[in-house]
Amino acid sequence: MKNKLHVKTGDTVIVLSGKDKGKKGKVLEVSTKESKVIVENINIAKKHLKPQRMGQAGGIVKVEAPLYACKVMAVCPKCGKPTRLAHKIEANGEKSRVCKHTDCQKEY
């Protein structure tokens, strides 16, 4: 059974804890099996690469490392505040995500 996460690919999130606390970024990839997300320009790690073919250069590359989804919170695109997400069921039966702030009941 897959875990359901509160963030999806393409969401803007803010980091709640760790070395990148307070930084905002866009979710590039979500791993529901590990409950981890990869956020653009957050949790940068250096990766050492060996040359794969003759003539190709090896080196050190900076890549985004995954971090736990519980360490990020979604940012509302309308009001720009970090928020928890509520699920609202429409009249036609569709389920949508909405901002929990009382002044911003807009859909994502």
Side-chain angles (χ1 to χ4, degrees):
M1 183 175 150
K2 289 187 177 182
N3 297 333
K4 301 244 179 177
L5 297 180
H6 63 283
V7 291
K8 294 183 179 181
T9 303
D11 286 351
T12 303
V13 294
I14 190 166
V15 180
L16 300 175
S17 65
K19 65 180 182 179
D20 293 320
K21 181 179 178 176
K23 291 184 182 179
K24 287 184 184 180
K26 186 175 142 186
V27 176
L28 300 175
E29 194 175 324
V30 176
S31 173
T32 55
K33 187 176 180 182
E34 297 175 326
S35 297
K36 291 186 177 187
V37 293
I38 296 177
V39 184
E40 186 176 36
N41 297 325
I42 303 291
N43 199 20
I44 300 293
K46 290 183 178 179
K47 185 175 181 179
H48 297 259
L49 294 176
K50 289 174 74 173
Q52 297 298 315
R53 296 182 205 93
M54 288 291 289
Q56 185 180 7
I60 301 171
V61 180
K62 292 182 180 180
V63 294
E64 291 100 353
L67 65 150
Y68 284 104
C70 62
K71 293 188 175 205
V72 297
M73 183 176 272
V75 175
C76 178
K78 308 291 191 241
C79 62
K81 296 179 185 175
T83 182
R84 291 184 301 151
L85 299 174
H87 294 280
K88 180 178 163 187
I89 299 174
E90 303 293 331
N92 60 1
E94 288 185 12
K95 197 174 184 182
S96 61
R97 302 186 304 161
V98 294
C99 177
K100 274 244 181 174
H101 287 288
T102 56
D103 60 331
C104 180
Q105 287 292 328
K106 304 286 191 226
E107 294 182 14
Y108 274 71

